[in-house]
Amino acid sequence: MAEHLADPEDETLDQDRIDAVLRAVSTEDRSGLDALLEPLHAADIADLLEQIGGADRRALLALWSHEIDGDILSEISDAIREEVIESLPPEVLAHAVRDLESDDVVDILEDLDPPQQGLILNALEDADRLAVEQAMAYPEYSAGRLMQRETVVAPEHWTVGEAIDFLRAADHLPDQFYHVILVDPRMEPQGYVTLGRLLSSRRDVALRDITEDSFRTIEAAEPEADVAYVFNQYHLISCPVVDAGGRLVGVITIDDAMNVLDEEHQEDMLRLAGVGDESSISDRVLETTRQRLPWLFVNLLTAILASMVIAQFEDAIARLVALAVLMPIVASMGGNAATQSLTVAVRALATRDLTGANVGRVIWRETAVGLLNGVFFAVVMGLVSWIWFGDPTLGMVIAAAMVVNLVVAGMAGILVPVMMERAGVDPALASGTFVTTVTDVVGFFVFLSLAAMVLL
């Protein structure tokens, strides 16, 4: 029974619970599985589905599909959502999606193939399906896709009492809303009132007298990255969305905006590592290989370029083996220093803190940091090389190379992503490869050419 598998009152997803779930699935213990999963939050159940293998996931869904709801579907990662939806009986899918707000349904539809999209659309009520289809008509990754169509509005001439009576009498209100939006007769937003101000004001107070200073609107065609920036920059809780004519068509809430920010951060991290912007531990082998292979190939070409530089100094390396021992240190230090600057630059570009107004100052700062770090490590490596190989001249050569390469690394870490952004390329996409190539080539060339001139 469930009590022997795990404590049903425990609401955490840990390895013991996962093991208990898998045992319940293998023995087809439906009641035990219900007891194990019922206390969990929808996000934890989604995590469970993502962490177990494909065969176990299919077996779990076959045994427990009747309990899958809309919240779980919206929490599941894009990598396995289509597989989960295909495993659900039509009546379960219909019940699940009917409980969701329109923005959550759109979020699910965006990553599905047309047949699966049709299954979900057919499961919706006519009014809900129309709202979702209208949202899907907006460009991908736009505010129109992000917004929910369900809004709470009031005429701008109403009083607090009229608004409260309206809310109490309403047959249906969104599950989450933070403002009552004031509109004119043309349905153009004129302001909004927080629920806190609404409930703490006298009934005879006019709504327009207690509107928030933070009020602003977002056009439906605006990119969702810009929407997330506005929420973060101006500390918004929700924001009305308008069409090209300025009329209210929906509202975006802070949870959706923060999801976009989180996705942007994840994409930047994955792209910096060259593993694709949608990589997941749930991806299949071939899919993961396809995502990673292109940038590994680019990295191979840049590595060949660095090797060609080394090949120009074959004689020097053959005559002085110490060069082969020390040159990876110069390149490695430059690569790490460049990655530090690059990470700061990509993040600053994403948050719009790095602009044309301050890029010169930031480049100067990173160059100065590279110079100071270069001098410090030049002294360290100069002494190490002198003691190691008993040649003070070799120590001076690697010291000079270290200074030059760390200065170049600081500059490249800023300049490369800035130039890529101005060229219309995502700076997180390939900056890492190009920056490390610059530091490798410069590091090898400066160190080996100085050694060839001074030591041979």
Side-chain angles (χ1 to χ4, degrees), residues 102-125:
S102 59
D103 58 324
D104 293 323
V105 178
V106 170
D107 182 55
I108 292 175
L109 287 177
E110 284 181 323
D111 301 302
L112 298 179
D113 293 330
Q116 284 71 38
Q117 290 182 349
L119 286 175
I120 289 180
L121 288 172
N122 291 335
L124 297 173
E125 301 291 342

Side-chain angles (χ1 to χ4, degrees), residues 251-321:
V251 65
I252 295 174
T253 53
I254 189 171
D255 56 324
D256 295 314
M258 293 305 101
N259 283 341
V260 173
L261 271 183
D262 184 53
E263 290 171 2
E264 292 284 326
H265 295 168
Q266 292 183 37
E267 287 178 6
D268 286 348
M269 292 174 60
L270 293 171
R271 287 176 173 178
L272 279 171
V275 295
D277 57 6
E278 295 183 355
S279 293
S280 166
I281 58 173
S282 303
D283 290 345
R284 295 180 174 85
V285 172
L286 290 179
E287 184 178 0
T288 302
T289 302
R290 178 183 58 79
Q291 292 172 342
R292 299 184 186 183
L293 190 145
W295 288 111
L296 287 175
F297 184 74
V298 171
N299 190 72
L300 174 63
L301 296 180
T302 58
I304 291 174
L305 177 61
S307 297
M308 291 173 63
V309 173
I310 296 173
Q312 304 304 310
F313 301 93
E314 287 184 41
D315 292 340
I317 296 172
R319 293 167 60 184
L320 192 59
V321 178

Side-chain angles (χ1 to χ4, degrees), residues 298-370:
V298 171
N299 190 72
L300 174 63
L301 296 180
T302 58
I304 291 174
L305 177 61
S307 297
M308 291 173 63
V309 173
I310 296 173
Q312 304 304 310
F313 301 93
E314 287 184 41
D315 292 340
I317 296 172
R319 293 167 60 184
L320 192 59
V321 178
L323 299 182
V325 176
L326 296 175
M327 66 182 185
I329 298 176
V330 179
S332 176
M333 290 296 294
N336 285 327
T339 300
Q340 291 174 337
S341 297
L342 172 64
T343 303
V344 172
V346 170
R347 189 73 216 106
L349 287 169
T351 57
R352 306 185 189 184
D353 292 328
L354 181 58
T355 65
N358 64 2
V359 66
R361 177 171 54 82
V362 175
I363 292 173
W364 163 248
R365 188 198 70 171
E366 292 299 323
T367 303
V369 170

